Amino acid sequence: MPQTAISCMLLRGGTSKGPFFRAEDLPRDAATRDCVLLAALGSPHARQIDGVGGAHPLTSKVGIVDRSDRPGVDLEFLFAQLQPEKSTVDTTPNCGNMLAAVVPFALESGLVRAQGETSTFRVLTLNTGMAADITVQTPGGHVEYEGTARIDGVPGTGAPVDIAFLDTAGSVCASLLPTGRARDTVTVQAEGLASFSLDVTCIDNGMPLVLFRASDMGVSGLESAAELNANASLKRRIEALRLQAAQLMGLGDVSAKNYPKMTLIAPPQHGGAITTRSFIPHVCHDAIGVLAAVTVGTALRLPGTVCEGVARLPADADSSSASCTLSVEHPTGEFSVTLQTDPADPGVVTRAALLRTARLLMRGEVLVPASVWGGA
Ligand code: NQM
C-alpha cells in the first residue's frame, strides 16, 4: 500500500521547530490525528529515527492552523506537544515559540493574504483560548525572513515577529495564582526520597509554572542546561515537587502532562531582573519558553512571591508604572518581555509584548504509513 502523503511545512518558531499543517489536511478525528502526528515525528523513540522529529521536546512540536469564523479572529492555532520517548500528544498547554511561526505558515500556505509592508493577524490559540496579535514583515506581499532581529538561543538574525498577548492569566489553571496565594510552603514526600520543604510560587500567566529558589534545591541556578540534565538526584526531587505542586494548583495527576514547568530562580548575573533554569518539565530548557518568560515576568511584578529577595527589578517596574520591560536571564542569554498592567492592580497583566523570529525551513509532504491513516 502506498504511504499517505500530507501537505506540510517545517518552520522554526523562536527557539522551537516543527511541522505545520493546515487543519483540513489532517484527520478530523483527534485519535487518528494523534496517531498521524506520532508517525510523522517518529515517536516514541529516543532519536525519532523513523520520523521528522528532532529528538528533543523543543523539536517534537506540531502546529495545526486554520482560518477562523469567530468575530475578530483571523486564525486558529492548535499546538501539539509530543515527546521523543513517549506516545503522548498533549494539546492542553500553549507554546509561544511555535506561535511565532503561525502567521508565516498561514501566509505561505494561502490561508491569509499579506496586508502591506507589515501584516498583523489576531491568532486564537485553541489549546487554552488565548488571543495574540502577531505582526510579521511582508514587503512586496511575501514573508520576509531576513532581518536584524536577534533572539538568544538562535544563531544569527532574522526579521522580527512581534507578538502581543492579550489575555493570558490562568491558561491551564483556573486563575493566575491557582493556590490562591503568591507563596506556598510545600513539604515533598515521595517513595525513595528524603522528605524536604521549600517555598514555591505557583503561577499561570500563559503557562503553569512552579518557581522556587535554586539554592533550596542545593544548586546555584547558574549551571548549564547540560549540567542540570545530568543531575539525576535533582531531577528526581524536581519531579516529586512537580507532582505534588500540581495537586495544589488544581491540575490533578500531571504524570503524563508537560506542565507545570519547574523554574529554578537565582539572582541575575548580566544586568537582567532574574536568572532562570526551566525544566519543561523533565529536560532543562536551553533558554526559556515564551509564555514561561511572560509568567516569570508577571511573578516579578507581584508582591510576596519567591522572587522577592532574589530578583533585581528595574526602576520602571515599581507597582505604580503601567508598563515595564523585564529581562529574564536563562542558560543561553536573556528574554525580554514588556508587560502592561492594570493601573488599579499591577498583578493584572493586560498585554505582554515580545520579540521572536521565525523561518520557513522546508515545504512538501510528510509521509505516514497507510496503516496509520489512509488519507482523506
Ligand atoms: O512557554 C517550551 C518553548 C516552550 C514553550 C516548553 C513555550 C512557551 O520554548 O510559550 O514556548 O515549555 O515546553 O517552545
Side-chain angles (χ1 to χ4, degrees):
M1 260 209 289
Q3 298 196 81
T4 303
I6 310 168
S7 175
C8 166
M9 293 185 194
L10 184 69
L11 287 104
R12 174 182 64 77
T15 50
S16 291
K17 178 169 71 174
F20 278 75
F21 298 94
R22 285 182 306 207
E24 68 198 47
D25 293 333
L26 287 174
R28 292 260 163 243
D29 152 56
T32 314
R33 178 203 67 202
D34 290 354
C35 292
V36 166
L37 300 184
L38 288 163
L41 267 72
S43 288
H45 183 265
R47 271 176 283 145
Q48 292 174 320
I49 198 70
D50 201 30
V52 301
H56 189 282
L58 296 181
T59 48
S60 298
K61 301 185 171 203
V62 174
I64 304 170
V65 184
D66 206 352
R67 288 187 199 94
S68 182
D69 294 332
R70 297 172 215 243
V73 177
D74 301 302
L75 291 163
E76 295 180 1
F77 165 52
L78 183 70
F79 161 64
Q81 175 73 65
L82 281 73
Q83 295 291 342
E85 292 184 70
K86 291 188 189 162
S87 45
T88 53
V89 179
D90 190 0
T91 56
T92 47
N94 295 319
C95 179
N97 275 306
M98 289 291 275
L99 178 64
V102 167
V103 171
F105 170 74
L107 286 159
E108 297 283 1
S109 59
L111 288 172
V112 288
R113 284 192 168 181
Q115 299 157 339
E117 285 294 297
T118 64
S119 299
T120 301
F121 296 97
R122 180 155 295 181
V123 180
L124 181 73
T125 299
L126 296 177
N127 303 64
T128 65
M130 171 187 76
D133 286 338
I134 303 182
T135 303
V136 302
Q137 309 293 305
T138 48
H142 300 287
V143 185
E144 175 64 68
Y145 295 104
E146 292 196 53
T148 56
R150 203 185 69 78
I151 57 171
D152 286 327
V154 179
T157 61
V161 176
D162 293 296
I163 304 184
F165 292 107
L166 306 171
D167 54 349
T168 40
S171 65
V172 179
C173 298
S175 62
L176 179 71
L177 294 174
T179 70
R181 291 171 294 274
R183 186 188 294 229
D184 290 273
T185 304
V186 181
T187 300
V188 180
Q189 282 165 325
E191 220 180 294
L193 277 185
S195 97
F196 60 99
S197 293
L198 78 174
D199 283 354
V200 299
T201 291
C202 299
I203 180 165
D204 174 1
N205 199 14
M207 184 64 77
L209 298 190
V210 179
L211 298 170
F212 48 98
R213 287 181 291 258
S215 56
D216 285 347
M217 281 288 192
V219 292
S220 69
L222 309 181
E223 295 83 358
S224 68
E227 275 174 293
L228 293 176
N229 282 327
N231 189 337
S233 120
L234 173 74
K235 291 207 294 191
R236 264 200 308 280
R237 281 177 293 137
I238 289 179
E239 180 61 2
L241 170 62
R242 188 177 81 91
L243 297 177
Q244 213 163 308
Q247 298 290 347
L248 284 179
M249 297 167 85
L251 294 170
D253 176 10
V254 291
S255 42
K257 295 288 181 196
N258 299 297
Y259 52 76
K261 313 288 184 186
M262 305 303 286
T263 310
L264 289 73
I265 58 164
Q269 304 295 306
H270 306 286
I274 199 158
T275 297
T276 59
R277 297 292 183 265
S278 177
F279 279 80
I280 58 168
H282 301 121
V283 173
C284 180
H285 204 305
D286 291 326
I288 187 168
V290 170
L291 288 150
V294 169
T295 301
V296 170
T298 306
L300 288 170
R301 297 218 63 188
L302 285 173
T305 72
V306 289
C307 303
E308 276 183 3
V310 178
R312 242 169 268 141
L313 297 188
D316 67 352
D318 73 43
S319 55
S320 61
S321 69
S323 170
C324 72
T325 299
L326 294 160
S327 164
V328 177
E329 298 181 6
H330 57 66
T332 51
E334 69 85 41
F335 194 129
S336 288
V337 291
T338 300
L339 301 180
Q340 273 175 29
T341 47
D342 181 345
D345 184 350
V348 177
V349 173
T350 49
R351 185 182 161 98
L354 48 95
L355 169 73
R356 298 277 83 192
T357 62
R359 196 162 77 84
L360 173 64
L361 304 171
M362 191 223 76
R363 64 178 150 222
E365 291 168 336
V366 75
L367 295 148
V368 296
S371 56
V372 173
W373 185 45

